[in-house]
Amino acid sequence: MAAEIKSGPKQGNVRKPDLFSKLEGFNDDVNMAVFIPREDGVITVSDDKTLRVWLKRDTGQYWPSICHTLPSQAASLAYNEETRRTFIGLDNGTISEFNLAEDFNRMSQTRDYLAHQGRVTSLKFSLNCEWVLSCARDKYFQWHCSETGRRLGGYQASAWCLCLEFDEQSKYVFVGDYSGQISVLRISNTEFSLITTLKGHSGSVRSLSWDAERSLLFSGSYDESVIVWDIGSKKGTAFELQGHHDKVQALAYASGSKQLLSGSDEAILGIWNMDVKRIETPNWEESDLCQKCSSPFFWNFRRMWEEKTLGIRQHHCRKCGKAVCNKCSAKKSTIPPLGYEYEVRVCDDCFSTITDEEKAPLATFHDVKHQVIYMNLDQTRKRLLTVGRDRVVKLWDVSTVLH
């Protein structure tokens, strides 16, 4: 069933997402959902084996106009608004293609792609290239011709493939996997080349988003962080965004306002200003002694014996990256240009140099009251949908926060 949420009064000048509707009534986990652009509609896929098309009725509520049962759990989804072609990735590795009718009350199946041997975790469709790109838990990224259904090529990663992004202009594909790596590929009709492997996350990469204008790749991970990879500069520059305290499962990028939206298992929606100068995270230095007071760390047995003292624990200053002891890094501070939106450990020297301007937040965080596993953004109407672990899809008006 669907419920209509009536907007409450605005509180002061606080800008926050406004929940205006929910989609409910699923019998199992919802995996993905997308807006139907220029229509008051949503397409959802779930583990109850259903593909549903929801349309807004005259009452203001959303009700299914289509509820199609699939042969396996529906794990992923790609929709093309120009042709209304819809691709559904199934748990059994098959990709099913459908055509939606103009009134969104009927659909017809056109083709099955026998693409994978495991759950299809992510799908992209390129109309210009006529490619269906997919990745799955069989550790493979594949791409097929959408005109003939023929397999064009494939790449095997070292772990489950969980998410992907595609840039039509450069033909770059980004594949995030369970090991925390991101494979960067360049593909053609029948061939691919592995450009590089991005290594920065300590947990599995669960979501990717792409800024085509500035060639920035955003990755969200189980390690609770978001990393911004500067692909365009070809310098390997990476900026960390640290604002969540649980797994980052979903990302969406608003190119118009240059803001990144991130959703996590802590039921928090983060909105990051990406139209500012950010500083690359320093590498952590290693040392046998505190690089401020020269006290030995607990593994430096020789120095401990010479000074007849006990070793101390090593820490790192988040601003300069130096190895320091607790005494020399007892203070904490936010450092938003470095991506730290909550207080982190800094050495005494760095703490004295951080200005109030540098402490000014570059992100806002909002309680969406469910653990977010997927997001989709309609930039034209400034609407966001969040898919939660609670089997509910929430629809938000984000016009006040995407400025």
Side-chain angles (χ1 to χ4, degrees), residues 122-373:
S122 188
L123 277 174
K124 296 290 178 183
F125 172 61
S126 169
L127 181 60
N128 292 335
C129 302
E130 285 290 350
W131 289 344
V132 180
L133 305 96
S134 61
C135 65
R137 288 187 181 177
D138 60 2
K139 302 182 182 179
Y140 269 95
F141 157 72
Q142 311 258 23
W143 70 104
H144 290 73
C145 174
S146 60
E147 294 179 311
T148 65
R150 183 171 62 91
R151 179 183 181 275
L152 298 176
Y155 163 76
Q156 185 176 14
S158 60
W160 285 357
C161 298
L162 301 176
C163 52
L164 68 88
E165 267 293 350
F166 176 60
D167 179 47
E168 284 190 335
Q169 184 175 358
S170 66
K171 306 298 188 295
Y172 273 27
V173 178
F174 308 95
V175 182
D177 66 37
Y178 191 80
S179 72
Q181 298 182 11
I182 302 169
S183 300
V184 183
L185 312 168
R186 176 178 284 157
I187 65 174
S188 64
N189 278 331
T190 57
E191 298 178 345
F192 76 88
S193 57
L194 178 62
I195 304 301
T196 189
T197 302
L198 305 177
K199 301 177 181 179
H201 287 292
S202 59
S204 58
V205 180
R206 293 293 168 141
S207 53
L208 294 171
S209 193
W210 176 245
D211 176 2
E213 180 184 345
R214 296 184 293 174
S215 296
L216 297 178
L217 179 70
F218 308 98
S219 58
S221 170
Y222 258 37
D223 64 11
E224 304 176 6
S225 73
V226 177
I227 296 182
V228 185
W229 308 89
D230 190 351
I231 305 297
S233 70
K234 298 182 180 178
K235 297 179 181 178
T237 307
F239 307 94
E240 290 190 25
L241 304 179
Q242 302 281 357
H244 291 286
H245 297 279
D246 209 333
K247 309 175 189 70
V248 179
Q249 298 265 49
L251 295 174
Y253 182 64
S255 57
S257 59
K258 293 183 171 55
Q259 290 171 281
L260 178 69
L261 288 72
S262 58
S264 72
D265 266 2
E266 62 185 332
I268 294 296
L269 171 69
I271 301 177
W272 307 80
N273 182 4
M274 301 309 302
D275 196 23
V276 294
K277 181 176 177 57
R278 293 188 177 272
I279 304 170
E280 188 173 13
T281 306
N283 292 323
W284 283 7
E285 299 181 21
E286 296 301 327
S287 175
D288 292 332
L289 305 172
C290 172
Q291 293 179 300
K292 298 296 181 181
C293 68
S294 298
S295 297
F297 294 127
F298 62 82
W299 59 81
N300 191 347
F301 299 109
R302 181 175 179 179
R303 189 65 174 265
M304 289 163 55
W305 176 262
E306 291 173 353
E307 296 185 0
K308 300 295 187 292
T309 185
L310 292 175
I312 52 179
R313 183 182 174 187
Q314 182 190 67
H315 298 279
H316 286 92
C317 173
R318 298 321 194 258
K319 191 172 191 294
C320 66
K322 292 189 179 298
V324 290
C325 66
N326 182 65
K327 183 179 178 181
C328 294
S329 60
K331 297 182 175 63
K332 291 186 176 183
S333 175
T334 60
I335 323 173
L338 271 168
Y340 295 110
E341 293 289 334
Y342 53 82
E343 290 189 338
V344 291
R345 182 185 296 272
V346 292
C347 66
D348 293 346
D349 291 343
C350 286
F351 183 82
S352 63
T353 65
I354 301 174
T355 64
D356 290 340
E357 184 179 353
E358 287 180 304
K359 294 180 182 179
L362 297 176
T364 59
F365 299 92
H366 310 273
D367 185 4
V368 291
K369 301 188 187 305
H370 70 167
Q371 296 173 299
V372 180
I373 62 171

Side-chain angles (χ1 to χ4, degrees), residues 34-41 81 252-254 261 375-385 396-399 402:
V34 296
F35 283 111
I36 302 174
R38 296 192 295 272
E39 296 285 338
D40 273 324
E81 62 174 300
Y253 182 64
L261 288 72
M375 295 193 301
N376 182 245
L377 176 66
D378 183 342
Q379 292 196 62
T380 303
R381 294 184 294 177
K382 293 189 177 180
R383 291 182 175 182
L384 176 75
L385 67 77
W396 306 85
D397 179 352
V398 291
S399 57
L402 296 185

Side-chain angles (χ1 to χ4, degrees), residues 29-30 368-371 386-394:
D29 294 340
V30 185
V368 291
K369 301 188 187 305
H370 70 167
Q371 296 173 299
T386 57
V387 178
R389 290 190 185 277
D390 55 1
R391 303 179 181 178
V392 174
V393 178
K394 294 185 177 182

